[in-house]
Amino acid sequence: MRLGIDIHTVGARQTGNETYIRNLIKAMLASDEGQHEYFLYQTKEVALPEWMSKATIRKVTPHNPLLRIPFGFPLALKKDQIDVALFQYVVPPVMPCPVVTMVHDISFEYFPEFFNPLSRKRMQLLIPFSARKSAHVLTVSEFSKRQIIEKYRIPEDKISVTYNGVSDIFRHVTDALWLSHVLQKFGLDQPFILAVGNLQPRKNIERLVRVYAQLRKKDLIQHDLVLVGQMHWQGHAILNEIQKHGIEKHVKTTGYVNDTELVALYNRADVFVYPSLYEGFGLPIIESMACGTPVITSNVSSIPEVAGEAALLIDPASDQELSDSLVRLVTETKLQDELIQLGFLQAKRFDWKITSEQTVSILQKAG
């Protein structure tokens, strides 16, 4: 069977979407014994990992998505005689083969105020159309599945949950010299609390900064705060909050980091905090657990499904709960150790090999 996969997010620093497709394809190619031919479609020439050379790489033109999606992709798939294709979120209106679509979440439907108005309107138009048009829909949590069924009236037997996995690179590292070497560019000379996620309102980082500032003012916490993520829609409010409290010296913003740097940051952090208001999955939760970092995260959306019993769960709308949890986790060694061990076990539940096998099976049935 000829499988076509849209990889336009690879190299685009689209965080979760790119992490998903890279790890999924890597696991697919590693386990394939010649049953399938893989065709990967990129939209611009970017450096690809060597393991992708096992597949056929195609460049789809033009780069403009308004032309590439309705015209470029169908022509390329037809030329390669693809039996079934895999896309994320948006599919061409006319396809020469069945298509399976991954819809990670529909946060733009429930928190429209957190999105650029033009992008939001485009998603509200194209994503439900794509989901209904697809032979099958994939999503990353039971929570997202329920929302997609309810919002878009997708039949339950047409949508499957294939959880994200944890890449092997995310692991507990004891080599202090390696950690120091990787992290020297960030100038982190104090113990720190880590938050990972694009700087946007949905991630609730503004609240985290405010609570952190109050704890420092009361001398209840001495850790620095490290924020990892790219600037997104309305992200400037987070920087304003840092300046408002005069804590620029103690809050580090790194921007985008690569996986090696992220592994080092998880390992060096004393606490990982993820107070998001909404997630379809929440990859950083299990990545940090795999690295041995105790986690504070939210008790909403898909997050309890992913974190299980291995994190301190809080109401993300409560400053007090966030504050209390931060103080507990930086001061209670026994609690830290307990969450670290539970986190290792929880992270092992999410395996890209299993995800890839489930996905290939669904693609075969759809084709």
Side-chain angles (χ1 to χ4, degrees):
M1 178 174 276
R2 290 188 160 207
L3 307 180
I5 304 177
D6 172 18
I7 64 165
H8 82 274
T9 59
V10 174
R13 295 186 172 182
Q14 291 195 22
T15 55
N17 295 346
E18 180 176 357
T19 298
Y20 166 79
I21 206 68
R22 286 175 69 102
N23 284 283
L24 177 68
I25 294 169
K26 186 176 183 180
M28 284 177 164
L29 294 176
S31 61
D32 185 72
E33 298 179 348
Q35 310 99 310
H36 306 296
E37 292 181 75
Y38 288 86
F39 291 76
L40 310 181
Y41 297 91
Q42 60 181 167
T43 57
K44 57 183 178 180
E45 293 183 5
V46 297
L48 298 175
E50 187 175 341
W51 51 260
M52 275 194 182
S53 63
K54 290 179 66 176
T56 300
I57 309 297
R58 299 283 198 233
K59 183 180 178 183
V60 181
T61 57
H63 181 65
N64 186 331
L66 295 177
L67 297 175
R68 182 185 74 242
I69 293 174
F71 303 112
F73 264 119
L75 288 172
L77 296 169
K78 184 175 183 179
K79 182 178 179 181
D80 288 329
Q81 298 180 315
I82 298 300
D83 294 305
V84 61
L86 175 64
F87 284 79
Q88 294 189 80
Y89 285 114
V90 177
V91 306
V94 178
M95 286 286 287
C97 64
V99 61
V100 173
T101 305
M102 164 56 77
V103 179
H104 296 268
D105 66 66
I106 52 174
S107 53
F108 54 90
E109 299 282 13
Y110 294 91
F111 291 93
E113 68 273 20
F114 294 162
F115 290 84
N116 174 297
L118 184 60
S119 297
R120 181 181 72 238
K121 289 294 183 184
R122 181 178 62 85
M123 289 187 286
Q124 289 174 330
L125 174 66
L126 296 178
I127 292 175
F129 168 83
S130 297
R132 295 183 185 113
K133 182 177 177 58
S134 299
H136 204 82
V137 176
L138 303 176
T139 192
V140 291
S141 64
E142 293 293 341
F143 168 80
S144 286
K145 178 179 178 178
R146 290 192 300 271
Q147 287 206 322
I148 294 167
I149 290 171
E150 293 168 5
K151 192 73 177 178
Y152 297 152
R153 299 292 185 259
I154 303 295
E156 186 169 359
D157 61 359
K158 188 183 171 180
I159 182 167
S160 298
V161 174
T162 56
Y163 285 116
N164 287 317
V166 183
S167 170
D168 291 342
I169 193 174
F170 294 102
R171 67 198 188 284
H172 183 50
V173 177
T174 57
D175 187 339
L177 286 177
W178 181 85
L179 291 173
S180 296
H181 173 72
V182 174
L183 296 178
Q184 62 183 350
K185 64 182 281 188
F186 300 115
L188 303 175
D189 54 3
Q190 298 294 323
F192 63 88
I193 296 162
L194 178 67
V196 174
N198 291 324
L199 302 186
Q200 56 169 302
R202 180 166 62 90
K203 300 298 183 180
N204 208 21
I205 302 300
E206 189 176 349
R207 182 185 305 276
L208 171 61
V209 169
R210 181 172 67 248
V211 168
Y212 170 79
Q214 293 167 351
L215 290 174
R216 281 211 68 107
K217 185 177 180 180
K218 296 175 183 177
D219 204 28
L220 293 174
I221 210 166
Q222 284 75 46
H223 287 65
D224 283 349
L225 176 63
V226 177
L227 307 179
V228 172
Q230 302 173 97
M231 183 66 66
H232 272 220
W233 174 252
Q234 296 184 346
H236 63 276
I238 297 166
L239 302 182
N240 292 342
E241 191 72 14
I242 294 169
Q243 294 172 353
K244 173 183 172 182
H245 294 284
I247 52 174
E248 295 94 332
K249 178 181 176 182
H250 301 293
V251 181
K252 319 286 186 182
T253 56
T254 68
Y256 177 84
V257 301
N258 62 40
D259 280 350
T260 300
E261 293 166 339
L262 187 54
V263 169
L265 286 162
Y266 282 138
N267 272 274
R268 183 59 68 82
D270 285 344
V271 174
F272 177 69
V273 59
Y274 198 71
S276 180
L277 298 171
Y278 178 107
E279 292 294 325
F281 187 84
L283 262 170
I285 297 169
I286 55 172
E287 290 173 349
S288 59
M289 288 178 176
C291 292
T293 315
V295 176
I296 298 169
T297 190
S298 304
N299 62 3
V300 298
S301 64
S302 68
I303 295 174
E305 185 180 343
V306 173
E309 301 296 322
L312 286 183
L313 298 182
I314 61 162
D315 176 357
S318 170
D319 286 20
Q320 191 63 54
E321 287 192 27
L322 178 55
S323 177
D324 291 346
S325 295
L326 283 168
V327 172
R328 284 189 67 196
L329 209 46
V330 299
T331 58
E332 297 182 21
T333 304
K334 183 179 179 181
L335 178 60
Q336 293 171 8
D337 292 341
E338 179 183 340
L339 290 179
I340 288 169
Q341 296 308 314
L342 289 172
F344 284 140
L345 295 173
Q346 183 70 4
K348 288 179 180 178
R349 294 184 57 235
F350 301 95
D351 189 326
W352 283 116
K353 185 176 185 295
I354 295 172
T355 302
S356 71
E357 290 170 352
Q358 294 171 334
T359 304
V360 169
S361 176
I362 292 165
L363 288 167
Q364 287 177 312
K365 292 175 183 176

